[in-house]
Amino acid sequence: MAMSMSMSMSSPSVQVQMHVAVPFHFEKCQSMSQLKQYHSQIIRLGLSSHNHLIPPLVNFCARANTSDALTYALKLFDSIPQPDDFLYNTIIKGFLHSQLLPTNFILLFYSHMLQNSVLPNNFTFPSLLRACRKIQHGKQIHAHLFKFGFGAHSVSLNSLIHMYVTFQALEEARRVFYTIPHPDSVSWTSLISGYSKWGLIDEAFTIFQLMPQKDSASWNAMMAAYVQTNRFHEAFALFDRMKAENNNVLDKFVAATMLSACTGLGALNQGKWIHEYIERNGIELDSKLATAIVDMYCKCGCLEKALQVFHSLPLPCRGTSSWNCMIGGLAMHGNGEAAIQLFKEMERQMEARKLIDEMPLTPDVTVLGTLLGACKKYRNIELGEEIGRRVIELEPNNSGRYVLLANLYANAGKWEGVAKVRKLMDDRGVKKAPGFSMIELQGTVHEFIAGERNHPQAKELHAKVYEMLEHLKSVGYVADTIGALHGHDLDEEEGVNPLYFHSEKLAIAFGLLRTKPGETLRVFKNLRICEDCHHACKLISTVFDREIIVRDRTRFHRFKMGQCSCQDYW
């Protein structure tokens, strides 16, 4: 019995099943270095020739959009002794997506597939047809499609129609269409869009009329054809007909098309009706639809409404086109200064989003901390929350990361958010680091902690702090009391007065006491400089005509003539 069990467990098929069940967690892979680690595990388990484990790795490499990753994908492919149709299709589709290799390479790879006696299947031809950059290649694939028995496969035939209309071979597209026993909506819409693309609007309408059952996509394709050729009245007539014939009146694509028609005609009331319909029926907003709404109001003379809609848009809906549309609308209405200010705001917000979403590698905590500070400054709570959570995930034991997020909430008056952050710190046992600053004078380093009262010159030092702040008040300094009133228990530097006696203020005051006018003050701080101290340092540099260099936890700040080298992003 024991021998039988041993033999059963050593069976190759059982071993493969056990190995395949190993939790590789490949779906968590975010970089090529991680992928290579997973690949090494597969090799160690003796599964490097397993056809079902390699394709996901190949697909990831192809989608990484770098030449090194594509090279690695080919090496992975070469490691399979007998690649099947699934693996070939993965390579073809992945490389098509990457767009880093000539499309001829994909066709050559298909030839390699045939030479190795691997037959294509119904997933092969749609990708191959999208890869064709010459109609001659498309015709060859067309022949192969029928040769291998896929002449009735609707998805492949629809891809074939799309290929022909792309090359303006409309008659060929039409002949393919007539070979389909039961053309679906994609078949009809592809043909309608193809004729429209090349300016044959009336011919497209004739095809549209023949369509037995029209869905939202086909209605939209025909209306879009009219809008794109400035035939707005015909678009509206078709829109009214659609409302009469179709119970499902609008989706986000039809709405965007018809809002463009309203813009073209200045049809404000129609535009308002569509906008109200969108809100009333909870139609999903995306960047294109949001832009269409803003553009309609701008160009129909309702600038205030356009601004109201724009500022109410969720952040993901504010694509570059939405910003450009609103900026152009302001300029169009003679509000050039407001347009410039909005442009500057766009630069700030779009840079932050681009840095996070488009970085090839995961941004490090310093970059994210800087962006979180910018979100606090410009009160971008939605983006700030997203960044704050990621910063805390990267450094869960760093109290300063929690403080940044708490201050973001406090600055926006969201005290429930502050409470949640504090609770999270307590639950994780995260303790606040004591703040201290150091200044070097004549070769001696002097250290100050927040709320310093044990310094030998404490009385003289405190008097200098009050004198310094009184000078600042004369030029407009007002302490940032939000943290003192509501979030003091989350301030990184605690003391009798968390604003007046932060450690860098003490160090700078001591420097003013012990140095000559005009000398540069250099301060080292173990924590991130707070907003109040940052503002105070800018004013001190002006009032006392001093250059002050503060190195905090993340960067150098050079304060001179009321400005900081960080340009208020830190």
Side-chain angles (χ1 to χ4, degrees), residues 174 177-178 188-189 191-193 195-196 199-212 214 218 221-222 225-226 231 234 238 241:
R174 196 161 187 158
F177 175 84
Y178 286 128
W188 286 97
T189 305
L191 204 58
I192 293 166
S193 299
Y195 273 81
S196 302
L200 301 172
I201 308 301
D202 294 331
E203 290 83 349
F205 183 68
T206 300
I207 298 169
F208 174 80
Q209 290 284 74
L210 294 172
M211 189 174 181
K214 302 172 179 63
S218 56
M222 196 63 240
Y226 283 133
R231 293 166 66 168
E234 288 161 289
L238 198 61
R241 177 182 157 189

PDB file of all heavy atoms in Angstrom, residues 174 177-178 188-189 191-193 195-196 199-212 214 218 221-222 225-226 231 234 238 241:
ATOM      1  N   ARG A 174     -17.443  45.296 -49.019  1.00  0.00           N
ATOM      2  CA  ARG A 174     -18.858  44.985 -49.226  1.00  0.00           C
ATOM      3  C   ARG A 174     -19.045  43.521 -49.648  1.00  0.00           C
ATOM      4  O   ARG A 174     -19.995  42.850 -49.223  1.00  0.00           O
ATOM      5  CB  ARG A 174     -19.428  45.936 -50.277  1.00  0.00           C
ATOM      6  CG  ARG A 174     -20.946  45.982 -50.291  1.00  0.00           C
ATOM      7  CD  ARG A 174     -21.427  47.231 -50.992  1.00  0.00           C
ATOM      8  NE  ARG A 174     -22.869  47.385 -50.879  1.00  0.00           N
ATOM      9  CZ  ARG A 174     -23.486  48.537 -51.007  1.00  0.00           C
ATOM     10  NH1 ARG A 174     -22.798  49.646 -51.242  1.00  0.00           N
ATOM     11  NH2 ARG A 174     -24.808  48.606 -50.914  1.00  0.00           N
ATOM     12  N   PHE A 177     -18.801  41.405 -46.684  1.00  0.00           N
ATOM     13  CA  PHE A 177     -20.029  41.567 -45.902  1.00  0.00           C
ATOM     14  C   PHE A 177     -21.132  40.634 -46.410  1.00  0.00           C
ATOM     15  O   PHE A 177     -21.829  39.995 -45.621  1.00  0.00           O
ATOM     16  CB  PHE A 177     -20.481  43.029 -45.978  1.00  0.00           C
ATOM     17  CG  PHE A 177     -21.792  43.308 -45.303  1.00  0.00           C
ATOM     18  CD1 PHE A 177     -21.856  43.550 -43.941  1.00  0.00           C
ATOM     19  CD2 PHE A 177     -22.977  43.320 -46.034  1.00  0.00           C
ATOM     20  CE1 PHE A 177     -23.073  43.806 -43.311  1.00  0.00           C
ATOM     21  CE2 PHE A 177     -24.192  43.574 -45.415  1.00  0.00           C
ATOM     22  CZ  PHE A 177     -24.234  43.809 -44.050  1.00  0.00           C
ATOM     23  N   TYR A 178     -21.263  40.536 -47.745  1.00  0.00           N
ATOM     24  CA  TYR A 178     -22.334  39.724 -48.321  1.00  0.00           C
ATOM     25  C   TYR A 178     -22.080  38.227 -48.188  1.00  0.00           C
ATOM     26  O   TYR A 178     -22.982  37.412 -48.418  1.00  0.00           O
ATOM     27  CB  TYR A 178     -22.563  40.100 -49.784  1.00  0.00           C
ATOM     28  CG  TYR A 178     -23.276  41.422 -49.940  1.00  0.00           C
ATOM     29  CD1 TYR A 178     -22.766  42.417 -50.767  1.00  0.00           C
ATOM     30  CD2 TYR A 178     -24.462  41.672 -49.264  1.00  0.00           C
ATOM     31  CE1 TYR A 178     -23.422  43.641 -50.912  1.00  0.00           C
ATOM     32  CE2 TYR A 178     -25.130  42.887 -49.396  1.00  0.00           C
ATOM     33  CZ  TYR A 178     -24.609  43.875 -50.211  1.00  0.00           C
ATOM     34  OH  TYR A 178     -25.253  45.072 -50.341  1.00  0.00           O
ATOM     35  N   TRP A 188     -22.476  45.439 -39.782  1.00  0.00           N
ATOM     36  CA  TRP A 188     -23.158  46.596 -40.365  1.00  0.00           C
ATOM     37  C   TRP A 188     -22.447  47.902 -40.009  1.00  0.00           C
ATOM     38  O   TRP A 188     -22.189  48.745 -40.878  1.00  0.00           O
ATOM     39  CB  TRP A 188     -24.605  46.653 -39.860  1.00  0.00           C
ATOM     40  CG  TRP A 188     -25.522  45.646 -40.460  1.00  0.00           C
ATOM     41  CD1 TRP A 188     -25.878  44.444 -39.945  1.00  0.00           C
ATOM     42  CD2 TRP A 188     -26.216  45.756 -41.712  1.00  0.00           C
ATOM     43  NE1 TRP A 188     -26.752  43.784 -40.778  1.00  0.00           N
ATOM     44  CE2 TRP A 188     -26.987  44.569 -41.872  1.00  0.00           C
ATOM     45  CE3 TRP A 188     -26.268  46.727 -42.709  1.00  0.00           C
ATOM     46  CZ2 TRP A 188     -27.789  44.333 -42.978  1.00  0.00           C
ATOM     47  CZ3 TRP A 188     -27.084  46.501 -43.823  1.00  0.00           C
ATOM     48  CH2 TRP A 188     -27.830  45.320 -43.952  1.00  0.00           C
ATOM     49  N   THR A 189     -22.117  48.065 -38.739  1.00  0.00           N
ATOM     50  CA  THR A 189     -21.514  49.330 -38.287  1.00  0.00           C
ATOM     51  C   THR A 189     -20.140  49.534 -38.892  1.00  0.00           C
ATOM     52  O   THR A 189     -19.761  50.674 -39.234  1.00  0.00           O
ATOM     53  CB  THR A 189     -21.438  49.351 -36.744  1.00  0.00           C
ATOM     54  OG1 THR A 189     -22.739  49.115 -36.204  1.00  0.00           O
ATOM     55  CG2 THR A 189     -20.914  50.673 -36.240  1.00  0.00           C
ATOM     56  N   LEU A 191     -19.168  48.587 -41.822  1.00  0.00           N
ATOM     57  CA  LEU A 191     -19.374  49.022 -43.207  1.00  0.00           C
ATOM     58  C   LEU A 191     -19.857  50.475 -43.260  1.00  0.00           C
ATOM     59  O   LEU A 191     -19.368  51.277 -44.067  1.00  0.00           O
ATOM     60  CB  LEU A 191     -20.386  48.101 -43.887  1.00  0.00           C
ATOM     61  CG  LEU A 191     -20.318  48.021 -45.417  1.00  0.00           C
ATOM     62  CD1 LEU A 191     -18.941  47.568 -45.889  1.00  0.00           C
ATOM     63  CD2 LEU A 191     -21.394  47.061 -45.934  1.00  0.00           C
ATOM     64  N   ILE A 192     -20.792  50.829 -42.394  1.00  0.00           N
ATOM     65  CA  ILE A 192     -21.288  52.216 -42.334  1.00  0.00           C
ATOM     66  C   ILE A 192     -20.144  53.182 -42.017  1.00  0.00           C
ATOM     67  O   ILE A 192     -19.969  54.206 -42.685  1.00  0.00           O
ATOM     68  CB  ILE A 192     -22.409  52.332 -41.275  1.00  0.00           C
ATOM     69  CG1 ILE A 192     -23.648  51.554 -41.720  1.00  0.00           C
ATOM     70  CG2 ILE A 192     -22.774  53.791 -41.025  1.00  0.00           C
ATOM     71  CD1 ILE A 192     -24.664  51.329 -40.606  1.00  0.00           C
ATOM     72  N   SER A 193     -19.368  52.849 -40.995  1.00  0.00           N
ATOM     73  CA  SER A 193     -18.245  53.704 -40.606  1.00  0.00           C
ATOM     74  C   SER A 193     -17.195  53.786 -41.702  1.00  0.00           C
ATOM     75  O   SER A 193     -16.571  54.839 -41.905  1.00  0.00           O
ATOM     76  CB  SER A 193     -17.607  53.185 -39.308  1.00  0.00           C
ATOM     77  OG  SER A 193     -18.537  53.196 -38.254  1.00  0.00           O
ATOM     78  N   TYR A 195     -17.612  53.571 -45.052  1.00  0.00           N
ATOM     79  CA  TYR A 195     -18.057  54.491 -46.104  1.00  0.00           C
ATOM     80  C   TYR A 195     -18.006  55.944 -45.612  1.00  0.00           C
ATOM     81  O   TYR A 195     -17.625  56.857 -46.356  1.00  0.00           O
ATOM     82  CB  TYR A 195     -19.468  54.113 -46.570  1.00  0.00           C
ATOM     83  CG  TYR A 195     -19.470  53.073 -47.661  1.00  0.00           C
ATOM     84  CD1 TYR A 195     -19.316  51.721 -47.357  1.00  0.00           C
ATOM     85  CD2 TYR A 195     -19.602  53.424 -48.988  1.00  0.00           C
ATOM     86  CE1 TYR A 195     -19.296  50.750 -48.350  1.00  0.00           C
ATOM     87  CE2 TYR A 195     -19.590  52.468 -50.000  1.00  0.00           C
ATOM     88  CZ  TYR A 195     -19.438  51.136 -49.677  1.00  0.00           C
ATOM     89  OH  TYR A 195     -19.412  50.173 -50.678  1.00  0.00           O
ATOM     90  N   SER A 196     -18.399  56.163 -44.354  1.00  0.00           N
ATOM     91  CA  SER A 196     -18.372  57.521 -43.794  1.00  0.00           C
ATOM     92  C   SER A 196     -16.956  58.064 -43.720  1.00  0.00           C
ATOM     93  O   SER A 196     -16.715  59.246 -43.993  1.00  0.00           O
ATOM     94  CB  SER A 196     -18.993  57.517 -42.387  1.00  0.00           C
ATOM     95  OG  SER A 196     -20.306  57.040 -42.411  1.00  0.00           O
ATOM     96  N   GLY A 199     -15.867  59.796 -46.749  1.00  0.00           N
ATOM     97  CA  GLY A 199     -16.711  60.884 -47.239  1.00  0.00           C
ATOM     98  C   GLY A 199     -17.945  60.465 -47.999  1.00  0.00           C
ATOM     99  O   GLY A 199     -18.656  61.322 -48.535  1.00  0.00           O
ATOM    100  N   LEU A 200     -18.245  59.193 -48.041  1.00  0.00           N
ATOM    101  CA  LEU A 200     -19.411  58.701 -48.780  1.00  0.00           C
ATOM    102  C   LEU A 200     -20.594  58.590 -47.823  1.00  0.00           C
ATOM    103  O   LEU A 200     -21.088  57.499 -47.506  1.00  0.00           O
ATOM    104  CB  LEU A 200     -19.089  57.357 -49.434  1.00  0.00           C
ATOM    105  CG  LEU A 200     -17.894  57.388 -50.416  1.00  0.00           C
ATOM    106  CD1 LEU A 200     -17.535  55.984 -50.853  1.00  0.00           C
ATOM    107  CD2 LEU A 200     -18.209  58.269 -51.612  1.00  0.00           C
ATOM    108  N   ILE A 201     -21.071  59.753 -47.373  1.00  0.00           N
ATOM    109  CA  ILE A 201     -22.081  59.795 -46.316  1.00  0.00           C
ATOM    110  C   ILE A 201     -23.422  59.251 -46.807  1.00  0.00           C
ATOM    111  O   ILE A 201     -24.095  58.496 -46.099  1.00  0.00           O
ATOM    112  CB  ILE A 201     -22.245  61.230 -45.791  1.00  0.00           C
ATOM    113  CG1 ILE A 201     -20.876  61.829 -45.411  1.00  0.00           C
ATOM    114  CG2 ILE A 201     -23.194  61.257 -44.606  1.00  0.00           C
ATOM    115  CD1 ILE A 201     -20.139  61.064 -44.363  1.00  0.00           C
ATOM    116  N   ASP A 202     -23.823  59.649 -48.012  1.00  0.00           N
ATOM    117  CA  ASP A 202     -25.118  59.185 -48.521  1.00  0.00           C
ATOM    118  C   ASP A 202     -25.122  57.680 -48.741  1.00  0.00           C
ATOM    119  O   ASP A 202     -26.128  57.001 -48.483  1.00  0.00           O
ATOM    120  CB  ASP A 202     -25.463  59.915 -49.827  1.00  0.00           C
ATOM    121  CG  ASP A 202     -25.685  61.401 -49.593  1.00  0.00           C
ATOM    122  OD1 ASP A 202     -26.105  61.766 -48.473  1.00  0.00           O
ATOM    123  OD2 ASP A 202     -25.413  62.201 -50.508  1.00  0.00           O
ATOM    124  N   GLU A 203     -23.990  57.133 -49.226  1.00  0.00           N
ATOM    125  CA  GLU A 203     -23.885  55.688 -49.406  1.00  0.00           C
ATOM    126  C   GLU A 203     -23.953  54.979 -48.046  1.00  0.00           C
ATOM    127  O   GLU A 203     -24.571  53.908 -47.915  1.00  0.00           O
ATOM    128  CB  GLU A 203     -22.591  55.325 -50.125  1.00  0.00           C
ATOM    129  CG  GLU A 203     -22.535  55.727 -51.588  1.00  0.00           C
ATOM    130  CD  GLU A 203     -22.135  57.192 -51.786  1.00  0.00           C
ATOM    131  OE1 GLU A 203     -22.100  57.945 -50.780  1.00  0.00           O
ATOM    132  OE2 GLU A 203     -21.867  57.575 -52.943  1.00  0.00           O
ATOM    133  N   ALA A 204     -23.301  55.609 -47.054  1.00  0.00           N
ATOM    134  CA  ALA A 204     -23.358  55.036 -45.704  1.00  0.00           C
ATOM    135  C   ALA A 204     -24.793  55.016 -45.198  1.00  0.00           C
ATOM    136  O   ALA A 204     -25.230  54.027 -44.573  1.00  0.00           O
ATOM    137  CB  ALA A 204     -22.472  55.851 -44.756  1.00  0.00           C
ATOM    138  N   PHE A 205     -25.542  56.085 -45.488  1.00  0.00           N
ATOM    139  CA  PHE A 205     -26.930  56.142 -45.036  1.00  0.00           C
ATOM    140  C   PHE A 205     -27.787  55.072 -45.724  1.00  0.00           C
ATOM    141  O   PHE A 205     -28.683  54.491 -45.109  1.00  0.00           O
ATOM    142  CB  PHE A 205     -27.514  57.524 -45.288  1.00  0.00           C
ATOM    143  CG  PHE A 205     -28.915  57.697 -44.780  1.00  0.00           C
ATOM    144  CD1 PHE A 205     -29.186  57.706 -43.414  1.00  0.00           C
ATOM    145  CD2 PHE A 205     -29.976  57.821 -45.666  1.00  0.00           C
ATOM    146  CE1 PHE A 205     -30.488  57.842 -42.946  1.00  0.00           C
ATOM    147  CE2 PHE A 205     -31.275  57.964 -45.207  1.00  0.00           C
ATOM    148  CZ  PHE A 205     -31.537  57.983 -43.840  1.00  0.00           C
ATOM    149  N   THR A 206     -27.483  54.814 -46.995  1.00  0.00           N
ATOM    150  CA  THR A 206     -28.213  53.754 -47.705  1.00  0.00           C
ATOM    151  C   THR A 206     -28.007  52.405 -47.018  1.00  0.00           C
ATOM    152  O   THR A 206     -28.958  51.625 -46.838  1.00  0.00           O
ATOM    153  CB  THR A 206     -27.735  53.681 -49.160  1.00  0.00           C
ATOM    154  OG1 THR A 206     -27.988  54.936 -49.803  1.00  0.00           O
ATOM    155  CG2 THR A 206     -28.450  52.575 -49.919  1.00  0.00           C
ATOM    156  N   ILE A 207     -26.766  52.126 -46.635  1.00  0.00           N
ATOM    157  CA  ILE A 207     -26.472  50.878 -45.915  1.00  0.00           C
ATOM    158  C   ILE A 207     -27.195  50.873 -44.570  1.00  0.00           C
ATOM    159  O   ILE A 207     -27.780  49.867 -44.153  1.00  0.00           O
ATOM    160  CB  ILE A 207     -24.947  50.717 -45.723  1.00  0.00           C
ATOM    161  CG1 ILE A 207     -24.249  50.615 -47.084  1.00  0.00           C
ATOM    162  CG2 ILE A 207     -24.637  49.493 -44.855  1.00  0.00           C
ATOM    163  CD1 ILE A 207     -22.739  50.718 -47.006  1.00  0.00           C
ATOM    164  N   PHE A 208     -27.180  52.020 -43.899  1.00  0.00           N
ATOM    165  CA  PHE A 208     -27.839  52.148 -42.601  1.00  0.00           C
ATOM    166  C   PHE A 208     -29.334  51.839 -42.714  1.00  0.00           C
ATOM    167  O   PHE A 208     -29.908  51.151 -41.869  1.00  0.00           O
ATOM    168  CB  PHE A 208     -27.619  53.562 -42.059  1.00  0.00           C
ATOM    169  CG  PHE A 208     -28.364  53.866 -40.798  1.00  0.00           C
ATOM    170  CD1 PHE A 208     -27.889  53.426 -39.567  1.00  0.00           C
ATOM    171  CD2 PHE A 208     -29.549  54.596 -40.826  1.00  0.00           C
ATOM    172  CE1 PHE A 208     -28.583  53.704 -38.398  1.00  0.00           C
ATOM    173  CE2 PHE A 208     -30.251  54.883 -39.663  1.00  0.00           C
ATOM    174  CZ  PHE A 208     -29.768  54.436 -38.442  1.00  0.00           C
ATOM    175  N   GLN A 209     -29.956  52.325 -43.801  1.00  0.00           N
ATOM    176  CA  GLN A 209     -31.390  52.102 -44.003  1.00  0.00           C
ATOM    177  C   GLN A 209     -31.709  50.616 -44.180  1.00  0.00           C
ATOM    178  O   GLN A 209     -32.788  50.151 -43.814  1.00  0.00           O
ATOM    179  CB  GLN A 209     -31.875  52.878 -45.236  1.00  0.00           C
ATOM    180  CG  GLN A 209     -31.895  54.388 -45.053  1.00  0.00           C
ATOM    181  CD  GLN A 209     -33.074  54.842 -44.211  1.00  0.00           C
ATOM    182  OE1 GLN A 209     -33.089  54.653 -42.997  1.00  0.00           O
ATOM    183  NE2 GLN A 209     -34.074  55.429 -44.855  1.00  0.00           N
ATOM    184  N   LEU A 210     -30.754  49.875 -44.759  1.00  0.00           N
ATOM    185  CA  LEU A 210     -30.986  48.453 -45.012  1.00  0.00           C
ATOM    186  C   LEU A 210     -30.841  47.601 -43.755  1.00  0.00           C
ATOM    187  O   LEU A 210     -31.263  46.441 -43.742  1.00  0.00           O
ATOM    188  CB  LEU A 210     -30.004  47.947 -46.077  1.00  0.00           C
ATOM    189  CG  LEU A 210     -30.165  48.535 -47.485  1.00  0.00           C
ATOM    190  CD1 LEU A 210     -29.000  48.097 -48.366  1.00  0.00           C
ATOM    191  CD2 LEU A 210     -31.494  48.100 -48.097  1.00  0.00           C
ATOM    192  N   MET A 211     -30.261  48.175 -42.737  1.00  0.00           N
ATOM    193  CA  MET A 211     -29.987  47.401 -41.516  1.00  0.00           C
ATOM    194  C   MET A 211     -31.301  47.029 -40.834  1.00  0.00           C
ATOM    195  O   MET A 211     -32.106  47.892 -40.478  1.00  0.00           O
ATOM    196  CB  MET A 211     -29.118  48.249 -40.573  1.00  0.00           C
ATOM    197  CG  MET A 211     -28.596  47.499 -39.376  1.00  0.00           C
ATOM    198  SD  MET A 211     -27.432  48.545 -38.440  1.00  0.00           S
ATOM    199  CE  MET A 211     -26.988  47.407 -37.132  1.00  0.00           C
ATOM    200  N   PRO A 212     -31.550  45.735 -40.625  1.00  0.00           N
ATOM    201  CA  PRO A 212     -32.858  45.305 -40.102  1.00  0.00           C
ATOM    202  C   PRO A 212     -33.107  45.709 -38.662  1.00  0.00           C
ATOM    203  O   PRO A 212     -34.211  46.117 -38.307  1.00  0.00           O
ATOM    204  CB  PRO A 212     -32.824  43.782 -40.262  1.00  0.00           C
ATOM    205  CG  PRO A 212     -31.382  43.434 -40.310  1.00  0.00           C
ATOM    206  CD  PRO A 212     -30.678  44.594 -40.939  1.00  0.00           C
ATOM    207  N   LYS A 214     -31.409  48.068 -35.724  1.00  0.00           N
ATOM    208  CA  LYS A 214     -30.373  49.065 -35.429  1.00  0.00           C
ATOM    209  C   LYS A 214     -30.162  49.163 -33.917  1.00  0.00           C
ATOM    210  O   LYS A 214     -31.126  49.326 -33.170  1.00  0.00           O
ATOM    211  CB  LYS A 214     -30.790  50.423 -36.007  1.00  0.00           C
ATOM    212  CG  LYS A 214     -31.043  50.404 -37.501  1.00  0.00           C
ATOM    213  CD  LYS A 214     -31.643  51.712 -37.970  1.00  0.00           C
ATOM    214  CE  LYS A 214     -31.883  51.702 -39.470  1.00  0.00           C
ATOM    215  NZ  LYS A 214     -32.870  50.671 -39.910  1.00  0.00           N
ATOM    216  N   SER A 218     -24.879  51.552 -34.133  1.00  0.00           N
ATOM    217  CA  SER A 218     -25.143  51.887 -35.537  1.00  0.00           C
ATOM    218  C   SER A 218     -25.787  53.274 -35.667  1.00  0.00           C
ATOM    219  O   SER A 218     -25.453  54.042 -36.572  1.00  0.00           O
ATOM    220  CB  SER A 218     -26.027  50.814 -36.177  1.00  0.00           C
ATOM    221  OG  SER A 218     -27.227  50.650 -35.445  1.00  0.00           O
ATOM    222  N   ALA A 221     -22.973  55.678 -35.190  1.00  0.00           N
ATOM    223  CA  ALA A 221     -22.061  55.730 -36.337  1.00  0.00           C
ATOM    224  C   ALA A 221     -22.611  56.650 -37.426  1.00  0.00           C
ATOM    225  O   ALA A 221     -21.870  57.448 -38.027  1.00  0.00           O
ATOM    226  CB  ALA A 221     -21.838  54.322 -36.890  1.00  0.00           C
ATOM    227  N   MET A 222     -23.917  56.564 -37.665  1.00  0.00           N
ATOM    228  CA  MET A 222     -24.509  57.392 -38.715  1.00  0.00           C
ATOM    229  C   MET A 222     -24.614  58.856 -38.294  1.00  0.00           C
ATOM    230  O   MET A 222     -24.317  59.773 -39.074  1.00  0.00           O
ATOM    231  CB  MET A 222     -25.895  56.840 -39.074  1.00  0.00           C
ATOM    232  CG  MET A 222     -26.438  57.367 -40.408  1.00  0.00           C
ATOM    233  SD  MET A 222     -25.413  56.881 -41.821  1.00  0.00           S
ATOM    234  CE  MET A 222     -24.943  58.501 -42.447  1.00  0.00           C
ATOM    235  N   ALA A 225     -21.257  60.448 -38.476  1.00  0.00           N
ATOM    236  CA  ALA A 225     -20.892  60.761 -39.863  1.00  0.00           C
ATOM    237  C   ALA A 225     -21.453  62.122 -40.276  1.00  0.00           C
ATOM    238  O   ALA A 225     -20.770  62.924 -40.920  1.00  0.00           O
ATOM    239  CB  ALA A 225     -21.419  59.666 -40.792  1.00  0.00           C
ATOM    240  N   TYR A 226     -22.692  62.402 -39.899  1.00  0.00           N
ATOM    241  CA  TYR A 226     -23.290  63.702 -40.215  1.00  0.00           C
ATOM    242  C   TYR A 226     -22.582  64.841 -39.465  1.00  0.00           C
ATOM    243  O   TYR A 226     -22.291  65.891 -40.033  1.00  0.00           O
ATOM    244  CB  TYR A 226     -24.776  63.693 -39.871  1.00  0.00           C
ATOM    245  CG  TYR A 226     -25.647  62.971 -40.866  1.00  0.00           C
ATOM    246  CD1 TYR A 226     -26.612  62.059 -40.437  1.00  0.00           C
ATOM    247  CD2 TYR A 226     -25.514  63.187 -42.230  1.00  0.00           C
ATOM    248  CE1 TYR A 226     -27.429  61.386 -41.344  1.00  0.00           C
ATOM    249  CE2 TYR A 226     -26.314  62.518 -43.147  1.00  0.00           C
ATOM    250  CZ  TYR A 226     -27.270  61.625 -42.701  1.00  0.00           C
ATOM    251  OH  TYR A 226     -28.055  60.971 -43.616  1.00  0.00           O
ATOM    252  N   ARG A 231     -23.088  68.310 -41.133  1.00  0.00           N
ATOM    253  CA  ARG A 231     -24.486  68.177 -41.540  1.00  0.00           C
ATOM    254  C   ARG A 231     -25.322  67.995 -40.267  1.00  0.00           C
ATOM    255  O   ARG A 231     -25.934  66.954 -40.019  1.00  0.00           O
ATOM    256  CB  ARG A 231     -24.631  66.995 -42.512  1.00  0.00           C
ATOM    257  CG  ARG A 231     -23.909  67.272 -43.835  1.00  0.00           C
ATOM    258  CD  ARG A 231     -23.713  66.034 -44.714  1.00  0.00           C
ATOM    259  NE  ARG A 231     -24.975  65.479 -45.207  1.00  0.00           N
ATOM    260  CZ  ARG A 231     -25.040  64.550 -46.172  1.00  0.00           C
ATOM    261  NH1 ARG A 231     -23.908  64.106 -46.742  1.00  0.00           N
ATOM    262  NH2 ARG A 231     -26.195  64.073 -46.553  1.00  0.00           N
ATOM    263  N   GLU A 234     -29.210  67.147 -40.250  1.00  0.00           N
ATOM    264  CA  GLU A 234     -29.496  65.740 -40.538  1.00  0.00           C
ATOM    265  C   GLU A 234     -29.186  64.865 -39.326  1.00  0.00           C
ATOM    266  O   GLU A 234     -29.873  63.866 -39.073  1.00  0.00           O
ATOM    267  CB  GLU A 234     -28.697  65.291 -41.757  1.00  0.00           C
ATOM    268  CG  GLU A 234     -29.217  65.880 -43.066  1.00  0.00           C
ATOM    269  CD  GLU A 234     -28.200  65.811 -44.182  1.00  0.00           C
ATOM    270  OE1 GLU A 234     -27.208  66.557 -44.128  1.00  0.00           O
ATOM    271  OE2 GLU A 234     -28.416  65.016 -45.108  1.00  0.00           O
ATOM    272  N   LEU A 238     -31.994  62.542 -37.448  1.00  0.00           N
ATOM    273  CA  LEU A 238     -31.760  61.128 -37.151  1.00  0.00           C
ATOM    274  C   LEU A 238     -31.887  60.871 -35.648  1.00  0.00           C
ATOM    275  O   LEU A 238     -32.403  59.821 -35.217  1.00  0.00           O
ATOM    276  CB  LEU A 238     -30.375  60.720 -37.658  1.00  0.00           C
ATOM    277  CG  LEU A 238     -30.119  59.221 -37.819  1.00  0.00           C
ATOM    278  CD1 LEU A 238     -31.089  58.618 -38.820  1.00  0.00           C
ATOM    279  CD2 LEU A 238     -28.679  58.978 -38.270  1.00  0.00           C
ATOM    280  N   ARG A 241     -35.486  60.701 -34.815  1.00  0.00           N
ATOM    281  CA  ARG A 241     -36.000  59.422 -35.279  1.00  0.00           C
ATOM    282  C   ARG A 241     -35.602  58.286 -34.341  1.00  0.00           C
ATOM    283  O   ARG A 241     -36.404  57.396 -34.044  1.00  0.00           O
ATOM    284  CB  ARG A 241     -35.487  59.162 -36.701  1.00  0.00           C
ATOM    285  CG  ARG A 241     -35.903  57.816 -37.275  1.00  0.00           C
ATOM    286  CD  ARG A 241     -35.316  57.631 -38.664  1.00  0.00           C
ATOM    287  NE  ARG A 241     -35.227  56.232 -39.013  1.00  0.00           N
ATOM    288  CZ  ARG A 241     -34.592  55.769 -40.102  1.00  0.00           C
ATOM    289  NH1 ARG A 241     -34.025  56.618 -40.952  1.00  0.00           N
ATOM    290  NH2 ARG A 241     -34.539  54.478 -40.347  1.00  0.00           N
TER     291      ARG A 241
END
